[in-house]
Amino acid sequence: VQLQASGGGLVPPGGSLRLSCVVSGMTSDYYAIGWFRKVPWREREDVACTTNGGGSIYYRNVVKGRFTISTDYAKNTVYLQMGSLKVEDTGVYYCATVALRAGLPPPTSSSRYQYWGQGTLVTVSS
């Protein structure tokens, strides 16, 4: 299983970015996809999680109302639309996936995810 994340960059406070993550090689029909980030001086933290069908979604409290996770089932791609970005959103964003039994919600703990992408850097700065 491989994940390819893209879309990071430099954006001023209040700006927007859309991250993409293409999942390939997953043989399970049902799987979770999560976005996580490693920000300076903090441990890796969850950002948003969903399933490949998009039916169950979780957001970290500090990104609720600003970030939107969505999936394109046909393209095996998950997106993270980020708006009203803040300096504290700066970090390396990773997508990850794990196979699930049908109907289960996506796990929010990074330790539950089996496959990881390479990360994409998001820098929010004026």
Side-chain angles (χ1 to χ4, degrees):
V1 178
Q2 292 186 327
L3 297 92
Q4 182 68 43
S6 61
L10 173 64
V11 62
S16 300
L17 277 177
R18 189 178 80 158
L19 306 183
S20 300
C21 177
V22 180
V23 181
S24 60
M26 173 60 80
T27 58
S28 175
D29 290 333
Y30 186 72
Y31 52 91
I33 304 175
W35 283 100
F36 301 85
R37 67 187 181 188
K38 180 66 176 72
V39 301
W41 306 294
R42 298 211 300 268
E43 295 185 359
R44 184 170 58 190
E45 57 190 30
D46 55 273
V47 177
C49 308
T50 188
T51 57
N52 57 316
S56 182
I57 294 177
Y58 158 86
Y59 292 104
R60 188 176 188 81
N61 283 338
V62 295
V63 307
K64 285 181 179 178
R66 300 190 297 121
F67 292 10
T68 301
I69 189 170
S70 62
T71 59
D72 186 327
Y73 185 81
K75 295 182 179 180
N76 291 328
T77 300
V78 62
Y79 304 99
L80 185 67
Q81 180 67 50
M82 306 186 294
S84 301
L85 282 162
K86 304 176 181 181
V87 172
E88 53 264 40
D89 293 318
T90 294
V92 180
Y93 284 68
Y94 300 88
C95 56
T97 190
V98 62
L100 289 179
R101 286 191 300 166
L104 288 180
T108 58
S109 171
S110 62
S111 64
R112 296 283 307 279
Y113 286 78
Q114 185 174 7
Y115 304 102
W116 290 79
Q118 83 287 2
T120 185
L121 177 62
V122 172
T123 304
V124 184
S125 175
S126 55

